[in-house]
Amino acid sequence: MENILCCKTIAHIHTDFPTKFGIPRQSGLIDTLKAQIIFEPEYRKPEAFRGLDGYSHLWLIWEFSASIRSSWFPTVRPPRLGGNQRMGVFATRSPFRPNPLGLSCVKLEQIALHTPQGPILHVSGADLMDNTPIYDIKPYLPYVDSHPEATGGFTETTQAHQLSVDFPQALLTQVPAHLQQALLAVLAHDPRPAYQKDPDRTYFLEFSDYEIGFTVDGTQLTVHQVKPRTGQA
């Protein structure tokens, strides 16, 4: 008989990514990205956070809520390999898994215990879409969670490249100053799917309340357009 575990959503994370496009491929890659974790009413008890301020980083266990499928496959095509080679699903962090669970390590920046929305955790370095459900939060323990001698499988020979970003100042100033550094880092990490290399194609990244239009030619990314997202004007 199959065991069924019913996970309760304890919180939702709020990030600057309203869609999947452009989200960093791993947590911690862009530490200038800020996010807030807001808890469901049942879990807004200040005593549940006692001692949490002693930790610098947290593990988030969450749901790939935008990638849920009714079936799974034993192999997937990792973006790191250009989408051209299949690897076993358990050798990847693909969202298309037997159970749509994600695991991310984020930096705990601040705990705001007493707000109109209850306790809020301010974190950085998250790789989650806005409003992603969180199932659990656990402290990161350096003495057991850090393994400098660990090997990285196929990712060690397929390191992600970074792009040079040409973001004209007249366009950049349309983005609030507190978002500019994170946005530049997202663009430099190449938000395109690995298999898309058309230099004539204009891509559109939704970031916070803005839509960023850009092209990529080789290792050069050029921003051509910044406008409010639909419904955000």
Side-chain angles (χ1 to χ4, degrees):
M1 179 180 294
E2 181 181 6
N3 291 323
I4 299 177
L5 173 64
C6 295
C7 290
K8 295 181 178 180
T9 298
I10 66 167
H12 289 83
I13 193 168
H14 295 280
T15 73
D16 288 314
F17 295 100
T19 68
K20 293 185 292 183
F21 183 75
I23 294 176
R25 293 176 175 87
Q26 303 294 339
S27 59
L29 275 180
I30 303 178
D31 57 10
T32 50
L33 286 172
K34 308 300 182 183
Q36 299 79 43
I37 299 173
I38 299 178
F39 290 81
E40 294 298 294
E42 181 181 354
Y43 306 101
R44 297 176 182 177
K45 302 182 185 298
E47 58 267 29
F49 304 86
R50 187 179 302 152
L52 192 62
D53 57 355
Y55 299 95
S56 63
H57 291 73
L58 305 173
W59 288 111
L60 306 181
I61 301 172
W62 48 278
E63 180 185 58
F64 284 106
S65 52
S67 302
I68 296 176
R69 294 182 175 182
S70 58
S71 60
W72 71 283
F73 296 94
T75 61
V76 296
R77 300 179 186 270
R80 270 288 184 88
L81 298 176
N84 299 316
Q85 183 177 345
R86 285 193 172 274
M87 300 293 288
V89 64
F90 300 128
T92 76
R93 295 188 174 185
S94 167
F96 306 115
R97 323 187 63 78
N99 292 300
L101 297 178
L103 179 68
S104 296
C105 183
V106 297
K107 184 178 181 182
L108 178 60
E109 300 284 354
Q110 179 189 359
I111 303 173
L113 283 180
H114 305 289
T115 80
Q117 296 171 293
I120 295 178
L121 302 184
H122 295 264
V123 301
S124 61
D127 57 341
L128 287 74
M129 192 170 71
D130 185 49
N131 211 38
T132 292
I134 306 294
Y135 287 147
D136 204 1
I137 296 173
K138 299 178 185 291
Y140 176 93
L141 306 178
Y143 77 99
V144 289
D145 291 341
S146 177
H147 300 278
E149 76 285 1
T151 57
F154 65 84
T155 64
E156 292 187 340
T157 57
T158 58
Q159 293 299 313
H161 66 284
Q162 289 204 27
L163 303 175
S164 298
V165 178
D166 178 13
F167 204 136
Q169 190 64 27
L171 294 177
L172 184 60
T173 55
Q174 297 181 38
V175 179
H178 72 278
L179 294 174
Q180 292 178 9
Q181 188 176 2
L183 174 57
L184 289 168
V186 169
L187 294 171
H189 277 79
D190 195 351
R192 302 171 300 163
Y195 53 85
Q196 293 185 4
K197 302 294 183 183
D198 184 357
D200 297 320
R201 176 173 178 174
T202 298
Y203 299 88
F204 294 94
L205 167 69
E206 293 188 353
F207 186 80
S208 185
D209 295 332
Y210 302 88
E211 184 179 80
I212 315 299
F214 65 92
T215 57
V216 180
D217 190 355
T219 60
Q220 179 69 55
L221 182 151
T222 303
V223 175
H224 300 283
Q225 173 185 297
V226 175
K227 67 178 185 179
R229 285 199 297 116
T230 302
Q232 301 299 317

